Amino acid sequence: MDQLDQRACLGEFLRSRRARLRPEDVGLTDYGRRRRVPGLRREELAQLAGVSVAYYTRLEQRDGHNVSAEVLEAIARALRLDGTERAHLMDLARPKARRRRQSRRPQQVRPALRTLMDAMEGVPAYLVGHRQDVIGWNRLGAAVFGDFGALPAAERNLVRLMFLDPATAELYGEWECQACWVVSNLRLYAGQHPDDEQLSALVGELSVKNEEFRRLWAAHTVADKTHGVKLLRHPLVGEMRLSFETLTLPDDPSQALVTFHAEPGSASEDALRLLASWDAQRTAEKAAEKAAGMAAGMAAGMAVERAAEKASEKSAGKKAAGPAAGQAV
């Protein structure tokens, strides 16, 4: 799968939004006729939007060429779309001019931003880029959510970890809600970047390997949740409720810094502080082990040098003694 089919996504999105509405939701009278599919009929939606049934049908059947912004707005109102869904509809129906395909090179993190994350003591944080790839983190972020550095770069993806990593699945106390959110956010990204080959590969892999991902992806839900609360069940410190804030970088909107904090005076704050203390101790122990290893290596090196010097001195002494003995004879 090289890229996502934008026209197919448009039709599927419209059908999914139409299916969630009932006649009474939009002020129409339901005369009790049996409905073959859930939600509004096409003719009912067309009536609400003020367009012909044939025109709306063409939109659902992948023919969205030259559709006007006014018609799309009318359809969005008829479907009761929120702001995020409306923007997604515009992306699908009126895609921007095809851009150059994104480079496969990893996104770069500014050194100053890494320094900022490292300086955020007591605040778990990570940086996400395209497709919800994790491209940067601080120590406490890794202590809370897992050692990103131990994973290959291609596997440092929040959506992939949610569905394919058992430890990540067990970490989230409200896994279903979190799984729905990451897929909805990925759907939103897909509408904006249909030519992203790595996105297509990710969706293909997850669709093959996880049935729940397939179900959520087919629902065509879109969301852009920038703040909220996550319930975590950490294997070391137990349950924590952490509020999060997502801060998009002004100079690179494709990157966002996600920070977490606990309510002051709460049990979650105590658990987070305990985890930070454990992580600091573990880091200190690793540093001490590394220093001890370096010291042992230096000592061994010096011992080898001294042994070599002694051997060289002994060899030189023998050479000096040889001619003198010959002269005495």
Side-chain angles (χ1 to χ4, degrees):
M1 183 166 54
D2 293 333
Q3 60 186 43
L4 300 177
D5 187 339
Q6 197 85 329
R7 294 184 185 180
C9 289
L10 171 62
E12 291 165 3
F13 177 68
L14 289 172
R15 286 191 291 274
S16 70
R17 299 307 88 183
R18 179 165 58 85
R20 70 181 181 176
L21 293 175
R22 299 173 299 176
E24 54 267 34
D25 295 333
V26 294
L28 295 178
T29 301
D30 187 356
Y31 295 100
R33 291 181 297 170
R34 183 178 179 183
R35 292 175 178 268
R36 292 179 299 173
V37 294
L40 296 180
R41 297 185 177 93
R42 284 175 178 165
E43 55 266 29
E44 292 171 331
L45 198 284
Q47 175 187 342
L48 289 170
V51 299
S52 71
V53 176
Y55 186 89
Y56 179 76
T57 300
R58 287 200 301 271
L59 287 179
E60 283 198 4
Q61 292 178 346
R62 305 187 181 190
D63 187 7
H65 287 304
N66 301 320
V67 59
S68 69
E70 291 76 15
V71 169
L72 290 175
E73 285 292 347
I75 292 173
R77 287 192 297 271
L79 289 171
R80 304 296 195 266
L81 302 186
D82 61 25
T84 302
E85 292 171 327
R86 179 178 283 101
H88 184 61
L89 174 62
M90 298 298 175
D91 286 334
L92 295 177
R94 306 181 73 188
K96 300 177 179 63
R98 188 178 294 273
R99 293 163 291 187
R100 295 175 60 186
R101 291 183 176 177
Q102 294 177 359
S103 170
R104 287 182 172 271
R105 291 180 299 176
Q107 286 182 276
Q108 300 300 308
V109 181
R110 288 189 287 109
L113 194 55
R114 291 191 184 277
T115 302
L116 173 63
M117 286 191 288
D118 290 340
M120 297 167 67
E121 295 185 6
V123 178
Y126 53 69
L127 188 71
V128 293
H130 297 306
R131 303 167 297 275
Q132 299 178 57
D133 288 347
V134 180
I135 58 177
W137 58 90
N138 62 9
R139 282 203 340 248
L140 191 52
V144 172
F145 295 100
D147 188 359
F148 298 116
L151 297 173
E155 296 181 11
R156 297 173 195 157
N157 177 273
L158 295 180
V159 189
R160 192 180 193 282
L161 291 170
M162 184 65 61
F163 289 95
L164 299 185
D165 180 55
T168 298
E170 292 175 3
L171 176 65
Y172 289 97
E174 298 168 337
W175 183 88
E176 293 82 1
C177 293
Q178 183 65 19
C180 182
W181 178 80
V182 296
V183 174
S184 298
N185 187 264
L186 193 67
R187 260 294 180 193
L188 188 63
Y189 175 89
Q192 299 164 347
H193 304 87
D195 298 331
D196 187 333
E197 294 181 357
Q198 289 173 273
L199 168 67
S200 299
L202 175 64
V203 171
E205 179 188 15
L206 294 176
S207 296
V208 169
K209 294 182 177 179
N210 191 279
E211 181 179 355
E212 185 64 13
F213 175 83
R214 288 198 302 274
R215 184 186 69 80
L216 291 172
W217 186 252
H220 284 269
T221 304
V222 292
D224 188 19
K225 192 174 183 180
T226 57
H227 59 86
V229 178
K230 295 184 188 293
L231 173 62
L232 306 176
R233 295 197 174 103
H234 198 276
L236 292 179
V237 297
E239 186 171 296
M240 295 186 290
R241 284 191 176 273
L242 300 182
S243 299
F244 70 92
E245 296 288 341
T246 305
L247 311 172
T248 301
L249 302 190
D251 61 338
D252 186 355
S254 71
Q255 297 186 14
L257 178 64
V258 187
T259 64
F260 298 83
H261 67 278
E263 183 180 350
S266 65
S268 295
E269 184 183 46
D270 293 337
L272 188 58
R273 187 180 294 115
L274 177 61
L275 185 60
S277 176
W278 170 84
D279 180 66
Q281 180 179 352
R282 184 185 63 165
T283 302
E285 290 174 352
K286 287 184 176 180
E289 291 175 0
K290 184 177 179 179
M294 291 177 63
M298 291 176 63
M302 293 175 64
V304 170
E305 289 180 1
R306 285 198 297 268
E309 290 174 357
K310 288 183 177 180
S312 178
E313 291 174 358
K314 185 176 181 181
S315 175
K318 287 183 177 180
K319 289 181 180 179
Q327 291 173 2
V329 173

